[in-house]
C-alpha cells in the first residue's frame, strides 16, 4: 500500500507554462478591448455639425448631378457632362467651370 500514487498529480511544467500563457493572453485581449472601447467613446464626436445647405439649387437645363461637395460658404456640383458648378449659400450660381 505504500506504493500508491497520489490521486491528483502535479501537471508537467509544459502544461503549467501553457496555462500561464493562455491566462496572460486572455488578460491582454480584455485590456485591448477595453482600451478600444474607451478610445471610441472619448474620441468620436457627439454630434457632427452639418454644413449650411441652400434651400434649393437649380441645375442648368439638361444637367444631372454626378457629385456634390460642401465647403465653407459654398456648394460644388459636378455634372455628368463635366461642368463644375459653384453655388453660394443662398443657392445662386457663383461660378460655372467646364472640365476638359
Amino acid at each position: 500500500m505504500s506504493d500508491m500514487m497520489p490521486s491528483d498529480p502535479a501537471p508537467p511544467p509544459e502544461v503549467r507554462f501553457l496555462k500561464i500563457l493562455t491566462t496572460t493572453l486572455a488578460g491582454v485581449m480584455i485590456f485591448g478591448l477595453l482600451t478600444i472601447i474607451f478610445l471610441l467613446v472619448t474620441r468620436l464626436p457627439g454630434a457632427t455639425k452639418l454644413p449650411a445647405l441652400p434651400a434649393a439649387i437649380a441645375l442648368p437645363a439638361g444637367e444631372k448631378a454626378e457629385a456634390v461637395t460642401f465647403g465653407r460658404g459654398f456648394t460644388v456640383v459636378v455634372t455628368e457632362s463635366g461642368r463644375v458648378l459653384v453655388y453660394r449659400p443662398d443657392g445662386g450660381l457663383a461660378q460655372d467651370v467646364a472640365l476638359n
Side-chain angles (χ1 to χ4, degrees):
M1 286 290 191
S2 62
D3 292 335
M4 292 185 68
M5 296 182 68
S7 61
D8 192 15
E14 295 85 8
V15 173
R16 280 186 300 206
F17 179 68
L18 285 176
K19 187 176 180 181
I20 291 170
L21 281 179
T22 305
T23 305
T24 304
L25 177 62
V28 169
M29 288 173 55
I30 291 169
F31 177 75
L33 182 64
L34 291 175
T35 302
I36 290 171
I37 291 170
F38 172 77
L39 289 174
L40 285 174
V41 168
T42 59
R43 302 278 173 118
L44 288 179
T48 304
K49 185 178 178 183
L50 297 175
L53 301 175
I57 291 179
L59 294 176
E63 294 290 347
K64 291 184 180 180
E66 187 172 281
V68 178
T69 302
F70 306 102
R72 292 184 186 162
F74 62 90
T75 303
V76 177
V77 178
V78 179
T79 64
E80 289 179 348
S81 66
R83 292 171 65 186
V84 178
L85 308 169
V86 182
Y87 290 91
R88 293 185 296 273
D90 64 358
L93 184 62
Q95 193 172 6
D96 183 349
V97 179
L99 297 177
N100 294 339

